[in-house]
Amino acid sequence: TGGNSAGAAAYFTLARFSLAALLAARYTPGLFVEDDEDDNNALVQSQSTTLEETAPQTKDTNLAWKYGAELGIYMFLGYAFQAIGLQTTTASRSGFLLYLNVKLVPFFSFFLFGKTIQQSTWISALVAFAGTALLAFDNASGGTGGLVDASFAVGDLWSIAAAAASALFILRMEAASKAVPKSAELNAANLWTVAFLSLLWTAWISFNNLHTEATLVAQTLPETLTQTLEQTFQQTVNTITANPLQLIYLSAVTTALANYLQSIAQKEVSAERASIFYALDPVYGAAFANLLLGETLGLWGWVGASLIAIAAATNAVWDFSKSDEDADSNGIK
């Protein structure tokens, strides 16, 4: 049922981000202190520089946790809202609405943060939005080229909320990646935050699944907490043992590594520009579905995929052209 599917998604999210956080644990902010010297003079030098180094290190650690926690909240809400939405809407509709995230970035950037958005970025975002819509319609109609039912469900609103949370993650990543010197530490703080929030989510689900009002009256608080945590741990372990290869790939590649690379890339690329390239996600999905599952696109799907690819390509051309113009104006050859 819908409640069971949300619970399964919660335990899967906890398993995924816990494994990813463990992979990035070496870079947890404040966990390890780097040694600058390995020779016999290291102790003397450290005594003379401890006070000078402690302040900036503490500042960097605090920044990593501050921005990592904020990003982690946005990321967690994206996963949680989507899981709730899938209880009352279809996967294809939820997928399309979630891909609104990259199209919402320029709008949030303009209306919430007052940033000036270039006309080329607006055009690329709108073209990518149209392409995603066509790709989703093609998927929902089985490649026949028909349009989907236009009725609206409560789950669609949750899916839009998930897209908004994801858009805020992309948007705030730009400021976070520039403020935090070490991308690996920002990534680790982000992953630990999502893992912790996922633990609270799954504990709440376990609590509701295990206890009725009658049993709660008969049990003490420690007994209730113990059973809740045991159920959460057992369900998470069951999820890992049932999907070991999938979780290893998702945790290592699409979570720990991908988030780390994103934190590096957005040091130099604006969130608005980056969002256009992220719009290629459904195109990649359709391509791999064709290669691995034998699924094919219909007419609308091909048109939509082409529009997204064109939006990303023209966005890159405009971006490089602007960089060249800026370099020329500054006298850089």
Side-chain angles (χ1 to χ4, degrees):
T1 62
N4 291 333
S5 63
Y11 292 116
F12 194 92
T13 302
L14 174 59
R16 173 181 178 176
F17 280 92
S18 295
L19 292 174
L22 289 174
L23 290 174
R26 171 66 179 82
Y27 304 100
T28 301
L31 183 61
F32 296 102
V33 178
E34 295 183 357
D35 295 326
D36 294 326
E37 298 291 339
D38 294 324
D39 58 16
N40 295 330
N41 296 325
L43 180 59
V44 176
Q45 181 179 359
S46 64
Q47 291 175 341
S48 62
T49 60
T50 296
L51 294 178
E52 290 80 357
E53 293 180 350
T54 298
Q57 286 180 355
T58 301
K59 179 181 178 181
D60 291 346
T61 298
N62 291 340
L63 284 173
W65 278 114
K66 172 188 173 181
Y67 283 103
E70 180 187 358
L71 293 175
I73 291 173
Y74 295 139
M75 179 172 285
F76 167 77
L77 290 177
Y79 281 93
F81 289 162
Q82 185 183 26
I84 296 172
L86 283 171
Q87 297 181 55
T88 53
T89 191
T90 63
S92 58
R93 288 171 70 94
S94 177
F96 161 63
L97 294 172
L98 184 62
Y99 281 127
L100 290 176
N101 61 347
V102 294
K103 292 79 181 175
L104 290 174
V105 169
F107 293 93
F108 285 171
S109 181
F110 179 77
F111 290 107
L112 297 182
F113 298 98
K115 294 181 64 176
T116 301
I117 308 301
Q118 295 184 9
Q119 184 178 12
S120 60
T121 301
W122 285 115
I123 295 173
S124 295
L126 292 174
V127 173
F129 172 81
T132 304
L134 292 176
L135 197 60
F137 289 159
D138 181 85
N139 178 60
S141 61
T144 60
L147 296 181
V148 297
D149 181 11
S151 60
F152 211 72
V154 175
D156 296 331
L157 294 177
W158 283 108
S159 298
I160 293 175
S166 179
L168 286 173
F169 176 87
I170 297 173
L171 191 56
R172 293 298 293 157
M173 174 62 83
E174 178 183 351
S177 61
K178 293 178 180 178
V180 180
K182 298 179 181 179
S183 298
E185 292 189 353
L186 174 64
N187 183 45
N190 174 24
L191 296 177
W192 280 119
T193 300
V194 180
F196 174 72
L197 294 175
S198 298
L199 176 61
L200 297 181
W201 184 21
T202 52
W204 175 253
I205 292 175
S206 297
F207 175 83
N208 288 328
N209 290 342
L210 284 174
H211 300 92
T212 64
E213 185 175 352
T215 58
L216 285 176
V217 173
Q219 286 183 329
T220 64
L221 179 59
E223 290 174 339
T224 300
L225 292 177
T226 299
Q227 287 193 6
T228 298
L229 293 177
E230 287 178 351
Q231 175 70 7
T232 300
F233 177 78
Q234 187 60 53
Q235 290 294 334
T236 305
V237 171
N238 291 343
T239 300
I240 295 174
T241 55
N243 309 277
L245 297 180
Q246 297 94 319
L247 278 169
I248 290 174
Y249 173 78
L250 289 173
S251 301
V253 180
T254 67
T255 304
L257 178 60
N259 285 357
Y260 171 63
L261 294 177
Q262 182 178 359
S263 65
I264 294 177
Q266 286 196 224
K267 285 180 178 289
E268 305 295 336
V269 180
S270 70
E272 299 78 29
R273 290 290 185 182
S275 68
I276 305 302
F277 294 101
Y278 298 150
L280 287 168
D281 280 355
V283 178
Y284 299 146
F288 282 110
N290 177 264
L291 292 175
L292 301 178
L293 304 176
E295 296 181 2
T296 58
L297 292 177
L299 175 61
W300 290 118
W302 283 110
V303 173
S306 299
L307 286 176
I308 296 173
I310 291 173
T314 53
N315 180 70
V317 171
W318 281 327
D319 199 24
F320 285 127
S321 297
K322 182 179 181 299
S323 298
D324 291 340
E325 291 175 1
D326 292 342
D328 291 339
S329 65
N330 293 327
I332 302 175
K333 301 298 183 180

